[in-house]
Amino acid sequence: MKILMVSSEAVPWAKTGGLADMVSALSISLANLGHDVRIVIPRYYNIDRSKLDLLPEAMGTPMGGGVQEWSAVYATDMPCNDKKNPVKVYFIDHEIFFGRDGIYGNAIETDFIDNSRRFTFFSRAAFQLCRKIKWYPDVLHAHDWPAAVAPVYLKFAERVPGARGEFKKTVSILTIHNLGYQGIYHKDNFDYAGLGWDVFYNGGFEDWSMLNMLKAGLYSADKINTVSPNYAKETMTQAHGFRLDGVLRYRNADYCGILNGIDTEVWNPSKDKYIPQTYSVKDMEGKAVAKKTLQKEFGLPQNPDVPIIGMVTRLTDQKGVGELFGPTYGSAWSICRDMDLQMILLGSGEYWCENEISGLTSRLSNFRAKIGYSEKISHLIEAGSDFFLMPSRYEPCGLNQMYSLVYGTLPIVRSTGGLVDTVQNYDEKTGDGTGFMFEQLNPSSIYNTAGWAVWAYYNRPKDIAQMQKRGMTKDFSWESSAVKYVELYEASFKAQGMKAPTGNKYDAPDISDTVLQKPKKETVKVEPVKETPKEESPKKEKAAPKKTSAAPKEKKAAADKPKTAAKPKTAAGKPKKSEPDKSKKASAPKPKKPVAKKN
Ligand code: ADP
């Protein structure tokens, strides 16, 4: 199959989070399966043009109001990729839209005022790129709100009677990486898209009289998915749906979750270039060396016997930092004060949180943090820690818990999103499990579960060693996820009444376990429009008001409110079927917990 990834991020060129890792890793895995995969991203200011090949002639992209946007197109091959079947990467170089510092915003303007136009143009330019290189994809795979308008163009401008027809056999997929970010802007921006105003309503843009880019993509893509099966279920509930749960329930038949993989070349303790000594499940000496190096790096006593809880995180509300570091409220202070452990953090983000963390480091002798971004230190933390803490409010997939597991570092996580799909809670009776989980997001749950993990460290070392082994032998490689994406692509053709193109070199196995509901007949009833962007009547453009792309913060689910610690419930408010007793453990204070602090 010919697959075009339309994304605002891809490593190694542009990254703000897991999206960038996923787009490149999935593309490489699909290419390894024999598919012709290409990626298109914007050429941001800090992407060095001199390392790319310039394609001849400028590219024109027709937008609304008769505007023709001119851009250059650069190309290169994905590094470290199979030279026989490389993933080609194209860069749309539009100086006014992308020749600035920042992907979506900067320190002063956190959400660029013209983001709606920047990424609507980018989505349209993806089609022009195909025309320019005379390569037409079977599958257009868009990612998150910045590319969500591409499936809308496919459905309402390119795959309609009267259109030029190059994309009439193309199907579209939209992957949600984080439903909390939707690209909501003033509707005056819509004229620029060059789609008729009927598409504003039929195409799903309309959102309380604003323009919602992600919502339009969710209405218009042939199939939609998110990055873990459990997050797919959660997003169809009011608690986690960020107001789009109704849309997702409406598209239920076309919606599924496919777990992200991890890059096992980069995140692998037996190959890791960033750690002082590699190690494996058969020889764990390197982990002890990493622990010592980590303690030294952070200026902590080099004691091999004290457990380390590590964290690598964006310091944002999504990651539960309020419950951990909120002044006078968060539990990090009491965890470090009461328990015999060391706590280490690498992260950056919200100013108040960075400040609070700096304050804690000066008041606690066993808490150390580095504010910033460092690939090297993040590897060292994964390798050298005993536990890895992720008290996420919500987590579409989460990568760090998977890294932790394969590095023999036990995750302490909240039961949400992809964390549920990847971590199994510790069972004291059997010794089973791969980590420690809690249901409610509140400071005492985090405190109690950290205490439980530390208690197990001191009192159940055999269980801890078994859990490490279990985690280290888990398969989180991209290969199996890529196969599931191919199955999803094939299901899209079926849903459109088209035959999936043949010629790919393998037979995709069944992924019925990841599809929440078997695809049934297309139920979206929208009127196709015939006009092309050029035919739009010009309208005066107004400057969009400054508006964050993030959706209004979700209301705390009733089940998320602190209740009695002894009776936790699932995020949906019901007792968890699969783990009847374990959640009790997760929130119940451990009497045997070693709380005697040495320093
Ligand atoms: P999200 O995409 O929501 O931030 P994920 O767990 O899916 O969360 O992915 C985050 C990625 O970014 C991981 O690879 C993580 O190690 C990395 N990361 C986050 N903060 C930092 C940091 N300060 N330094 C190095 N890597 C970081």
Side-chain angles (χ1 to χ4, degrees), residues 78-97:
M78 179 69 77
C80 316
N81 189 208
D82 180 0
K83 292 281 169 278
K84 279 183 232 136
N85 187 22
V87 172
K88 273 236 167 272
V89 185
Y90 297 93
F91 300 81
I92 307 295
D93 189 18
H94 186 288
E95 192 59 35
I96 292 171
F97 282 155

Side-chain angles (χ1 to χ4, degrees), residues 25 48 84 92 123 132 173 179 199 204 466 547 561 582:
D48 187 353
K84 279 183 232 136
I92 307 295
S123 298
K132 184 176 173 66
I173 311 290
L179 197 59
V199 178
Q466 282 305 319
K547 185 87 176 79
K561 286 182 190 148
K582 295 166 196 167

Side-chain angles (χ1 to χ4, degrees), residues 15-19 21 267 312-314 318-319 346-348 372-375 378 390 395 398-400 403:
K15 171 170 169 170
T16 64
L19 161 70
D21 296 308
W267 291 97
V312 180
T313 185
R314 288 185 291 124
Q318 183 203 330
K319 301 294 179 182
L346 168 68
S348 60
Y373 190 95
S374 164
E375 202 68 29
S378 70
M390 291 178 78
E395 196 62 75
L399 294 172
N400 279 312
Y403 301 156

Side-chain angles (χ1 to χ4, degrees), residues 263-269 271-274 375 379 407:
D263 187 338
T264 46
E265 288 299 306
V266 179
W267 291 97
N268 185 340
K271 294 182 184 174
D272 197 320
K273 294 188 189 92
Y274 292 119
E375 202 68 29
H379 281 247
Y407 278 74

Side-chain angles (χ1 to χ4, degrees), residues 52-72:
L52 311 172
D53 304 321
L54 175 64
L55 268 52
E57 295 173 15
M59 182 175 86
T61 302
M63 302 304 295
V67 173
Q68 184 87 333
E69 297 287 2
W70 290 98
S71 53

